[in-house]
Amino acid sequence: MNWYSTNGKAPLATLKKSVIKGLAEDRGLYMPCELKRLPAEFFAEMDKMSFQEIAFTAASAFFGEDVPAEDLRRIVNETLSFDCPIVPVEDGICSLELFHGPTLAFKDVGARFMARLLQYFTCGESRRLNVLVATSGDTGSAVANGFLGVEGIHVYVLYPKSKVSPIQECQFTTLGKNITALEIDGVFDDCQALVKNAFMDAELNEKMRLTSANSINVARFLPQSFYYFWGYAQMKRMGLADNLVVCVPSGNFGNICSALFAAKMGLPIQRFIAANNRNDVFYNYLQTGRYEPKASVQTLANAMDVGDPSNFARVYELYGKDYEAIRRSISGAVVSDGTIRRTIRDCYRQTGYLLDPHGACGYRALKDSLQPGETGFFCETAHPAKFKDTVDCILAEEAGLPSSGRIGASAEVADGKVVIPARLAAFMQGKAEKTPLSKHYEEFKNYLIQQR
Ligand SMILES: *Cc1c(COP(=O)(O)O)cnc(C)c1O
């Protein structure tokens, strides 16, 4: 199957080209030329299928013409080697927990799938493929862990010195093998500028094979649709899928966009909610019909601090550039830091379920909008321990909260504090290795050339 660009000025691309290039020549985002509707029997039988089987069916619709079934099945099974449970929080509201992968955030699935698909496409080629990724925290850890140990591919993670949390930093500095952490003396924008310059540098691209792993890549964002097929199947199993509302805490809109793809393929979801923090560009679009990007503002749900969501172009395209059609299927919500705090406390007090700041936006928006007769799930996109300082602080602000509670099915709050799961603690034991670099492009380029 071919892929076209949302800007409409680039040639059609094969899957291999769109995955290796990431962005089209006209700087548009790749979209599939055809979106297959899945058969009614699939939706009727889903509640009896495993996560891996469901995901394989969805993956075949996107990638099945280009990747033989047995390879695709292996890629899917290796990607989804962890669970993604749905947890009832209160009457009619469930949490779809997307944080059971290696770095405890939902980006693991996209990163792992993309690593394996790239490996499939480049296997047997003699030149090493180098992935450059700039990160403000979460993306770097997901990509580094997704690509860890993948042969023929080396990953450089560029991150701003002293601007990522210690937990985030150790998730990409302690891995070794084919992962190199570059600590840039600058801010996130400097890291991103270095990566962009490298991609545009003809001399460098001749010397080494470079690719990006950012969230606009089709191999990273489309596999996230597996979550929604699976979430629906689990709700159906509980008899809660008849009038189903899905709420996605959103930043760059990659995650919700994959859910909208699932709906276009026939998944019977009644409507969607895009939950935002104070970064309200999409919310304003829904009110006014005008898309007006702005500078991002910092919030407690910092993985959603995005002022110009890159996947808006895909949402717009998916609905035929029709504002009314978008409004019919998606509503918006803006959740302030004050409301995030109150929501984490109230939900914990009333249900014993502990949210992270991103999931709190999702829960709040869903709870405020759910109508009689509807049921819904929101995505819990990160484990609360990834934001331990924030969450512990919020819990401590109110006296009399229960001192223990649950995250997911098991009790993971003790003495009023989030317990760090073993998987996360293990990263913190590892030996950190990083290469310090300035924010000057020539230094970065010379460094890369020496590494070949
Ligand atoms: C990346 C991220 C989001 C936002 O997802 P988008 O696909 O960018 O909309 C939400 N929560 C967490 C924890 C994230 O890491």
Side-chain angles (χ1 to χ4, degrees), residues 350-372:
Q350 288 158 10
T351 72
Y353 189 80
L354 187 68
L355 298 158
D356 97 297
H358 304 80
C361 296
Y363 169 80
R364 180 83 266 151
L366 180 61
K367 193 172 161 71
D368 288 350
S369 139
L370 213 58
Q371 300 297 311

Side-chain angles (χ1 to χ4, degrees), residues 105-107 138 224 249-255 303-304 356 358 381-382 387:
F106 84 88
K107 292 183 178 70
D138 264 5
Q224 292 165 1
S250 296
N252 257 322
F253 280 66
N255 200 6
M304 291 155 48
D356 97 297
H358 304 80
T381 49
F387 302 90

Side-chain angles (χ1 to χ4, degrees), residues 209-378:
R209 204 163 166 217
L210 299 179
T211 189
S212 81
N214 57 24
S215 62
I216 50 108
N217 199 297
V218 297
R220 252 194 75 190
F221 101 89
L222 274 178
Q224 292 165 1
S225 64
F226 305 161
Y227 289 142
Y228 298 93
F229 289 105
W230 177 234
Y232 173 86
Q234 293 180 92
M235 292 297 276
K236 184 164 152 63
R237 206 173 287 166
M238 294 187 288
L240 293 175
D242 288 341
N243 290 300
L244 187 61
V245 180
V246 170
C247 180
V248 187
S250 296
N252 257 322
F253 280 66
N255 200 6
I256 193 167
C257 191
S258 76
L260 301 172
F261 269 78
K264 291 271 178 192
M265 293 161 81
L267 188 66
I269 290 171
Q270 176 148 310
R271 61 187 182 91
F272 293 90
I273 305 168
N276 284 129
N277 58 26
R278 285 236 350 273
N279 292 279
D280 54 5
V281 172
F282 184 76
Y283 181 81
N284 291 341
Y285 167 76
L286 291 176
Q287 312 309 309
T288 65
R290 285 189 306 277
Y291 179 76
E292 295 172 325
K294 4 181 190 182
S296 63
V297 293
Q298 210 175 355
T299 75
L300 290 174
N302 60 17
M304 291 155 48
D305 293 349
V306 180
D308 184 7
S310 43
N311 282 294
F312 177 77
R314 281 199 172 109
V315 175
Y316 194 54
E317 185 69 26
L318 197 63
Y319 285 87
K321 305 188 167 69
D322 179 349
Y323 167 68
E324 290 301 333
I326 294 176
R327 268 172 55 112
R328 272 197 299 277
S329 135
I330 317 167
S331 63
V334 172
V335 183
S336 69
D337 275 2
T339 304
I340 291 175
R341 287 175 199 279
R342 189 162 43 78
T343 300
I344 291 177
R345 280 196 297 265
D346 288 353
C347 180
Y348 182 61
R349 184 176 355 90
Q350 288 158 10
T351 72
Y353 189 80
L354 187 68
L355 298 158
D356 97 297
H358 304 80
C361 296
Y363 169 80
R364 180 83 266 151
L366 180 61
K367 193 172 161 71
D368 288 350
S369 139
L370 213 58
Q371 300 297 311
E374 289 179 334
T375 56
F377 69 78
F378 63 97

